[in-house]
Amino acid sequence: MAYHVTLPITKKLNQELTELNRYKDKLFSVIAHDLRNPVAGLVGLMDMIHDEFESLSAENLFEYLTTLRRNSKNTYKLLEDLLQWARSQYEQLILEPTLLNIADTTDEVINNLANQAGEKEISLQNKISEDLWIEADENMLKTILRNLVSNAIKFSSAGDSVKIKAAKRQEEIRISIIDEGKGIKKENQNKILTKSVTYTTRGTNGEKGSGLGLDLCLDFVERHGGELQFESEPGKGSTFTVILPEKQETEAKVNTP
């Protein structure tokens, strides 16, 4: 006689399994759609340049190469976000805080996004004082800022500006990314910082997104014991504010300024 024993599954285990399934579904969705399509587009564009090379004028060739360059960078960014997001879900990313100058760190992010902003004729302005420092993981902080500034560019139009400001309040550092773009509709605002909801919409030039960027920001901010907030008014822009403790409680590898 065979006996079957059914073991009770705890509520916590059920929640963990549900979360793992959500991460898996999102991972495969991005690979199957958001990553596959851009890569296929790059292959198609390279094939066209190869097949028509002899008949292309220098002007047309330059336009194709410019498009190829831009799309390659966007695809690389998506792949980088995907890998970091996947690693963060399985907690393989270790927080390694160092003492960082916030203005210098922001300058590096702005330099990396200069082409993206330039193509849309958007001004990136670092308004952070040189005397502000924070104890944070450098790669995670750059990823947070890069995604938030990139989103601000995505939803801005030619002639707009994106400003990055920071201030110290008690033992917290508040870094704000302020844009003059299209803003977020009231009915969608409760979806923005909800991990259980994958929300994405097209930018002012039709740019697509995967929704991974804000997930990464939320994960990395929470790992620092911080908080991500936003305010938005449709047609007038958005402000995303990263609130981080000035110092981490864990032992940090500190670089003396």
Side-chain angles (χ1 to χ4, degrees), residues 27 30 42 49 99 112 126 128 140 150-151 177 183 187-188 200-201 206 223 234 252-253:
L27 186 65
V30 172
L42 291 174
I49 293 172
L99 193 61
N112 289 334
N126 184 355
I128 300 174
M140 290 189 189
S150 181
N151 275 353
I177 293 84
E187 61 267 29
N188 293 326
T200 181
T201 185
R223 284 173 187 262
K253 302 174 185 177

Side-chain angles (χ1 to χ4, degrees), residues 3 7 12 22 30 36 44 66 69 75 81 108 112 122 138 151 155 158 169 197 221 246-247:
Y3 293 91
L7 297 176
K12 182 179 179 181
R22 185 175 72 84
V30 172
R36 181 183 180 185
T66 299
R69 180 173 179 252
T75 304
D81 282 349
E108 290 185 40
N112 289 334
I122 293 165
E138 183 175 10
N151 275 353
F155 296 111
R169 293 187 182 176
V197 177
V221 167
E246 185 182 9
K247 293 183 179 179

Side-chain angles (χ1 to χ4, degrees), residues 52-237:
E52 301 177 10
F53 183 79
E54 292 184 358
S55 62
L56 288 175
S57 67
E59 183 178 355
N60 286 337
L61 180 59
F62 180 77
E63 288 178 2
Y64 285 145
L65 291 176
T66 299
T67 301
L68 184 62
R69 180 173 179 252
R70 180 179 63 249
N71 291 352
S72 297
K73 286 185 176 182
N74 290 340
T75 304
Y76 177 78
K77 176 186 176 299
L78 176 59
L79 177 60
E80 191 176 56
D81 282 349
L82 174 62
L83 293 174
Q84 282 195 307
W85 177 82
R87 289 177 63 200
S88 73
Q89 304 315 308
Y90 292 98
E91 299 184 349
Q92 293 178 359
L93 290 177
I94 299 172
L95 187 72
E96 296 183 349
T98 59
L99 193 61
L100 303 171
N101 182 278
I102 305 174
D104 290 346
T105 304
T106 302
D107 274 339
E108 290 185 40
V109 172
I110 285 177
N111 288 337
N112 289 334
L113 295 173
N115 286 336
Q116 181 186 345
E119 287 173 1
K120 294 187 71 172
E121 298 180 20
I122 293 165
S123 168
L124 299 181
Q125 301 175 18
N126 184 355
K127 300 290 187 179
I128 300 174
S129 171
E130 290 285 348
D131 61 0
L132 271 182
W133 296 77
I134 191 170
E135 205 170 87
D137 184 290
E138 183 175 10
N139 289 330
M140 290 189 189
L141 182 58
K142 286 180 179 178
T143 298
I144 293 167
L145 294 176
R146 175 169 54 81
N147 277 290
L148 293 178
V149 174
S150 181
N151 275 353
I153 296 169
K154 176 182 174 183
F155 296 111
S156 296
S157 301
D160 288 346
S161 64
V162 175
K163 299 181 178 70
I164 303 96
K165 298 181 178 181
K168 178 181 175 181
R169 293 187 182 176
Q170 296 180 341
E171 296 181 354
E172 292 180 339
I173 299 291
R174 304 172 71 94
I175 306 172
S176 296
I177 293 84
I178 307 156
D179 69 60
E180 304 167 339
K182 59 192 277 188
I184 303 164
K185 294 179 180 179
K186 297 290 184 185
E187 61 267 29
N188 293 326
Q189 291 188 10
N190 63 337
K191 304 174 186 177
I192 298 298
L193 300 182
T194 304
K195 284 188 176 182
S196 59
V197 177
T198 300
Y199 177 77
T200 181
T201 185
R202 291 182 180 271
T204 51
N205 280 3
E207 304 100 317
K208 288 184 62 179
S210 65
L212 287 179
L214 278 179
D215 263 13
L216 269 177
C217 291
L218 282 166
D219 283 344
F220 290 173
V221 167
E222 288 172 1
R223 284 173 187 262
H224 282 83
E227 185 181 357
L228 181 59
Q229 299 178 348
F230 80 94
E231 297 176 353
S232 185
E233 187 172 348
K236 294 188 177 180

